[in-house]
Amino acid sequence: MRYRTKAQEIFIMAEHTEDGFDWDTTHASEPQQLLGSKKVAILLCTYNGERFLREQLDSFVSQTYRNWSIHVSDDGSTDSTLEILEEYKSQLGEGKLFISHGPRQGFAKNFLSLIKNREIIADYFAFSDQDDVWLDDKLSRSIAKIPRVPLNKPHLYCSRTRLVNSDLALLGFSPSFKMRPCFENSLVQSLAGANTMLINNATRDLMCRVADDAPVVAHDWLVYQLVTGCGGDVVFDQIPTLLYRQHEANLIGANATFRNQVIRILKMLTGRFSEWSTLNLIVLDSVRMELTENNRLILERFEAARKSGLLSRLRLMLKSGVYRQTIKGNISLIAAAILNKI
């Protein structure tokens, strides 16, 4: 496997970073023994991904957790993506890789088409991009961390990532968020990338209730809002579980560099964030009665704030309790509220 040596070197280097992570590679066998009967459906969306797809697929094959299947929705690739997928399908054998055709309406709708496909039956669902590299214990770590009871309660696992360039050279980490994941935070911030996420069937059921034509900004942000809004649990793991490529073809990059953070803040202050909020609220309105009573109240206050004059807007924003994960983020949130750009 071509990526293997370099990926392992990056993994070992993590033991000596300034972040001080304790990379314990011995935990993977225990979850596999205890939870090996739980099926994981890996949901992979592809579009002209020939350049890096083999490395992503190889990292699935290398997982220490073995009870998985790959479900691919291709959104109209014109390169050799489909040929590569057929090659791996043949190599992996019966029941391991399935290929379907996406709706060709963008990456969010493509992921939603996969999660809403009831022919895919599993205990957990893991989202994947086409150009990353999973660390070997990604699935075993995710399953070990996510709560297993009650089964009818929505659960979401997500994590930080190790940022790498096209050649897998280390660039840094995605942001470390320490404040509590909750609905108040989800209204104004997406916590983690979909490529790190693992969800249970209760969360999947919530996503299936979202209309096919819903104006979804980003499926990872939607998952965070639905799980927290409906009283579910979110685990944000400080230890990265994958190598997240940053390259010119990324649809959405990591918000880690100073430049990217400035761009995000400018989007908030120039009205782009307000547009996203409007679309998010349309989707949340369709599942309003699924929200907990307290979260419905938070949502109502946030909606009212966006329609109010300055003093009432600030008062309702404060009363709603919405916040972002960093001091800089909260300063930009206050500025956006003053400028009525929320």
Side-chain angles (χ1 to χ4, degrees), residues 105-287:
Q105 298 177 35
F107 72 98
K109 292 295 181 67
N110 199 11
F111 272 109
L112 282 177
S113 72
L114 272 175
I115 199 65
K116 296 176 77 168
N117 182 356
R118 289 296 190 177
E119 294 183 4
I120 302 176
I121 300 173
D123 298 288
Y124 299 107
F125 302 85
F127 301 150
S128 175
D129 291 345
Q130 65 183 0
D131 49 8
D132 302 324
V133 174
W134 285 11
L135 298 178
D136 290 355
D137 66 344
K138 181 184 188 299
L139 286 182
S140 60
R141 181 174 185 82
S142 302
I143 294 173
K145 292 285 186 178
I146 198 170
R148 291 180 288 281
V149 291
L151 293 177
N152 62 348
K153 187 174 184 178
H155 294 306
L156 164 65
Y157 168 92
C158 53
S159 77
R160 296 181 72 187
T161 60
R162 293 185 59 78
L163 307 179
V164 296
N165 66 13
S166 297
D167 299 319
L168 299 184
L170 179 65
L171 299 176
F173 296 95
S174 63
S176 174
F177 296 135
K178 302 294 180 64
M179 298 183 70
R180 180 176 65 95
C182 63
F183 188 59
E184 296 94 312
N185 179 225
S186 76
L187 286 174
V188 293
Q189 184 174 21
S190 182
L191 189 69
N195 54 357
T196 71
M197 290 182 170
L198 182 82
I199 64 173
N200 66 350
N201 267 297
T203 299
R204 184 208 197 178
D205 289 341
L206 286 176
M207 298 187 70
C208 286
R209 295 174 197 177
V210 175
D212 291 340
D213 60 352
V216 177
V217 175
H219 56 294
D220 45 14
W221 197 353
L222 174 61
V223 175
Y224 183 32
Q225 291 181 333
L226 289 177
V227 172
T228 55
C230 297
D233 291 328
V234 175
V235 174
F236 180 78
D237 196 344
Q238 295 291 335
I239 295 182
T241 54
L242 59 86
L243 309 182
Y244 183 14
R245 270 194 174 96
Q246 306 294 296
H247 57 86
E248 67 281 355
N250 277 132
L251 287 175
I252 297 179
N255 184 22
T257 67
F258 177 76
R259 177 179 178 273
N260 286 340
Q261 291 173 4
V262 170
I263 290 174
R264 298 290 175 102
I265 291 173
L266 289 176
K267 285 180 178 179
M268 175 175 284
L269 298 181
T270 57
R272 184 69 181 276
F273 178 79
S274 180
E275 296 173 7
W276 291 342
S277 290
T278 298
L279 297 177
N280 284 339
L281 291 175
I282 292 173
V283 179
L284 287 174
D285 185 62
S286 68
V287 294

Side-chain angles (χ1 to χ4, degrees), residues 44-57 60 70-90 97-102 104 110 128-131 249:
L44 171 63
C45 290
T46 58
Y47 178 72
N48 290 341
E50 64 179 5
R51 184 180 176 189
F52 302 119
L53 182 57
R54 290 182 183 277
E55 291 176 315
Q56 177 71 94
L57 293 171
F60 296 159
I70 306 168
H71 302 264
V72 184
S73 179
D74 184 78
D75 228 20
S77 293
T78 56
D79 62 0
S80 63
T81 292
L82 288 172
E83 288 81 355
I84 294 171
L85 291 171
E86 290 291 349
E87 174 190 329
Y88 275 78
K89 181 178 180 179
S90 176
L97 196 156
F98 305 86
I99 304 169
S100 61
H101 297 287
R104 302 192 184 190
N110 199 11
S128 175
D129 291 345
Q130 65 183 0
D131 49 8

Side-chain angles (χ1 to χ4, degrees), residues 13-29:
M13 284 170 59
E15 295 180 343
H16 307 288
T17 64
E18 294 179 357
D19 294 62
F21 290 129
D22 179 15
W23 287 72
D24 179 8
T25 60
T26 64
H27 73 276
S29 61

